[in-house]
Amino acid sequence: MPAERPNIVFIMSDDHAAHAIGCYGSRINRTPHLDRIAAEGLRFDRCFCTNSICTPSRATILTGTYNHVNGVTTLTTPMDNRLQTYPKLLQAAGYQTAIFGKWHLGSGPRHCPTGFDDWAVLPGQGRYHNPQFVFKGPEGGETRTVTGYATDLITDFSLDWLRRRDPARPFCLMIHHKAPHRPWYPDEKHARLFLDEDIPEPETLQDDYRGRAAAAAAAKMRVGPDMTPTDLKCEVASELPEAELRRWAYQRYIKDYLRVIASVDDNVGRVLDTLDRAGLSRNTVVIYTSDQGFFLGDHGWFDKRFMYEESLRMPCMLRYPAMVAPGRVSTDMVLNTDFAPLFLDLAGVTAPEPMQGVSLRPLLEDRTPPDWRQAMYYRYWMHRDGSHNVYAHYGIRTHRYKLIYYYADPLGQPGAAGEACPPEWELFDLENDPLEMCNRYHDPAHADTVAALTRELARLQAAVGDAPWTGAPTPSAS
Ligand code: CA
């Protein structure tokens, strides 16, 4: 048990899928600095988000609550900054706190960052090159343009703050990269990576969505047909047959995606080196994660939103030499609700009642409790937004199975613009069908599994305080 309260460095990128990180077995890139965190600490192989979309996942991480509790169900429901968050509680307990980079939880006095001694955040999605930042100030902050590349600048601000802090008190530093979010503009240093090579394609690039719920074919996230000239940095070769268009567009976009990740990797190396040189590494918890996963051409898609594995899974590597032995891998199920309770627990602060996650401390100490969760609840609310057209759904994932219910109703949610569609179910056997290509829901051989998972879904949904879709008209959110 470490004598001192730990420092916390929480590094979160935006849309960085685990399968584009070396230590997760990436076939498409190398990430030596990110891999160092896992080699010197713990890699979580089953870390999942509870709603695979930027703003909601960020609100969950800060508050330790599901989106039906914190109210941040969609991209257009900013977080009310009167909600309790772990940075506020750490600050009240004597921690120095700061956040630099992407906030994406709204702007202005009601939605700007609170609970931080210092902050500078990108307005909205922010830009890669010469971005504007909103700096801490009165009335929600002051906006200034800064020359440079977003990933470098966010790291510069973070390291500068580290140098300026009071060394006598513990700190919590949140480094939130914009990268590798669309539209994937690399910096000059990495712009020529992969120029003369083909990146391996995912097995499901040419998925035809046969046998899946209608939601899969309806999604407008296809690599090629649903991309813009900005995504591809050239005109879309829409004259190509779709299979060829997918292959061509995949090479175009994935290279830029990996180039912006190369900059993230370099900059994480800068942070690790700084902690080492300052003698801070032993007592500092360093986490690298992303607000959700991403489809890297998997199922023919880019983007996220679905409960399918590539989108559901968050990378999560954690280094804390004072508590965590190096080179460990955990397959225990952890969620984005768990970060806040973990940080509070490590700081000796009691997590307040609304927090729904569970502290990961026993997993860090390599003693998984016998009653640790065996299933997780997921819900995507943003039914048929104006562009990606993914249907609203909720579901349950166990270690072996996934049951998804596309209730497909906007329920008056902001940003959920489309008409309701007929509800549908999917069941996947992740052991025999890890790529989720075969919906077993209507297979009589799986009837008992469907019945058991349906009961467990209802139980979990009630346990977190959410309600099932009933088909009844729902008053619009106010
Ligand atoms: Ca995101």
Side-chain angles (χ1 to χ4, degrees):
M1 176 63 199
E4 289 174 70
R5 295 190 293 178
N7 305 305
I8 296 162
V9 175
F10 181 79
I11 310 173
M12 181 162 72
S13 54
D14 193 340
D15 293 1
H16 189 177
H19 52 312
I21 299 180
C23 67
Y24 281 99
S26 171
R27 298 160 59 236
I28 56 176
N29 67 335
R30 293 178 62 247
T31 52
H33 301 293
L34 293 174
D35 299 349
R36 228 185 103 188
I37 302 174
E40 296 171 3
L42 176 54
R43 188 186 82 212
F44 288 100
D45 276 5
R46 290 183 184 167
C47 179
F48 302 122
C49 59
T50 48
N51 181 0
S52 184
I53 190 85
C54 309
T55 303
S57 183
R58 286 155 195 271
T60 290
I61 287 167
L62 284 164
T63 63
T65 58
Y66 287 82
N67 296 131
H68 61 273
V69 172
N70 59 48
V72 187
T73 47
T74 74
L75 282 177
T76 50
T77 48
M79 188 175 83
D80 189 320
N81 59 19
R82 294 171 295 184
L83 288 171
Q84 188 59 279
T85 65
Y86 82 81
K88 288 183 190 179
L89 291 161
L90 291 180
Q91 191 182 43
Y95 271 68
Q96 299 163 84
T97 57
I99 180 169
F100 299 104
K102 188 168 177 186
W103 176 245
H104 205 205
L105 287 159
S107 58
R110 271 283 289 281
H111 308 297
C112 67
T114 46
F116 299 100
D117 300 333
D118 198 6
W119 52 269
V121 298
L122 299 161
Q125 292 284 3
R127 291 196 305 253
Y128 277 104
H129 290 280
N130 303 326
Q132 289 186 322
F133 281 91
V134 187
F135 292 86
K136 186 183 180 189
E139 299 300 315
E142 295 165 5
T143 304
R144 296 199 299 273
T145 300
V146 186
T147 304
Y149 187 66
T151 309
D152 296 333
L153 293 170
I154 290 163
T155 308
D156 292 347
F157 295 163
S158 300
L159 297 183
D160 183 52
W161 183 82
L162 266 186
R163 279 186 287 273
R164 288 188 281 115
R165 82 191 195 286
D166 171 7
R169 291 193 291 138
F171 65 85
C172 173
L173 169 61
M174 300 173 75
I175 307 174
H176 282 199
H177 290 297
K178 171 192 172 49
H181 193 281
R182 198 179 185 182
W184 317 297
Y185 281 115
D187 66 351
E188 186 61 26
K189 182 179 168 192
H190 301 96
R192 283 160 203 81
L193 279 177
F194 312 109
L195 257 192
D196 301 317
E197 54 188 290
D198 280 342
I199 307 294
E201 294 175 0
E203 281 181 66
T204 58
L205 180 64
Q206 302 296 348
D207 193 349
D208 59 8
Y209 315 112
R210 230 174 282 168
R212 255 65 49 77
K220 296 190 187 303
M221 310 196 311
R222 293 189 199 179
V223 171
D226 297 320
M227 286 179 148
T228 66
T230 304
D231 293 331
L232 297 171
K233 320 297 183 292
C234 67
E235 288 302 312
V236 182
S238 45
E239 72 283 1
L240 293 174
E242 182 163 339
E244 281 179 55
L245 180 56
R246 287 191 196 189
R247 298 191 70 182
W248 170 81
Y250 170 76
Q251 293 298 330
R252 298 251 356 145
Y253 107 91
I254 201 72
K255 289 181 182 181
D256 279 337
Y257 180 86
L258 298 177
R259 287 164 183 148
V260 299
I261 287 170
S263 173
V264 172
D265 189 59
D266 283 359
N267 276 290
V268 168
R270 290 175 64 202
V271 174
L272 297 176
D273 289 347
T274 300
L275 294 172
D276 286 349
R277 279 200 301 272
L280 289 166
S281 292
R282 182 162 176 77
N283 199 41
T284 298
V285 181
V286 178
I287 285 195
Y288 182 85
T289 188
S290 174
D291 55 353
Q292 7 70 205
F294 206 73
F295 296 106
L296 306 178
D298 313 284
H299 300 290
W301 291 329
F302 64 103
D303 217 77
K304 53 266 183 177
R305 298 161 194 267
F306 275 100
M307 197 186 167
Y308 296 143
E309 284 297 277
E310 298 86 352
S311 154
L312 179 71
R313 185 185 192 195
M314 302 163 75
C316 183
M317 303 92 83
L318 182 151
R319 186 184 79 170
Y320 180 21
M323 184 179 282
V324 178
R328 285 185 43 220
V329 175
S330 167
T331 55
D332 292 316
M333 207 177 277
V334 308
L335 306 180
N336 58 350
T337 52
D338 298 337
F339 291 118
L342 169 66
F343 298 147
L344 294 174
D345 185 1
L346 295 177
V349 177
T350 304
E353 184 58 35
M355 290 202 179
Q356 298 176 297
V358 183
S359 169
L360 303 174
R361 175 198 281 258
L363 310 189
L364 270 54
E365 294 173 336
D366 202 9
R367 46 176 191 88
T368 304
D371 60 349
W372 192 259
R373 72 169 69 86
Q374 298 297 308
M376 59 84 62
Y377 176 66
Y378 177 91
R379 183 162 188 173
Y380 175 75
W381 294 80
M382 212 167 160
H383 181 69
R384 304 186 70 188
D385 72 323
S387 46
H388 302 80
N389 205 44
V390 173
Y391 294 2
H393 56 290
Y394 54 69
I396 180 177
R397 189 203 193 280
T398 65
H399 286 289
R400 167 108 188 237
Y401 294 102
K402 189 181 293 177
L403 179 73
I404 307 176
Y405 182 42
Y406 298 92
Y407 62 92
D409 188 328
L411 295 176
Q413 289 288 312
E419 296 288 309
C421 307
E424 280 189 272
W425 291 87
E426 284 181 334
L427 172 75
F428 296 104
D429 176 348
L430 301 172
E431 198 172 289
N432 292 312
D433 177 28
L435 300 178
E436 299 168 297
M437 298 292 280
C438 189
N439 175 16
R440 298 287 184 192
Y441 186 81
H442 300 288
D443 178 353
H446 286 82
D448 291 347
T449 302
V450 165
L453 286 171
T454 306
R455 284 193 300 273
E456 180 62 4
L457 170 60
R459 188 194 69 77
L460 261 188
Q461 190 173 48
V464 301
D466 199 8
W469 180 78
T470 60
T474 303
S476 56
S478 57

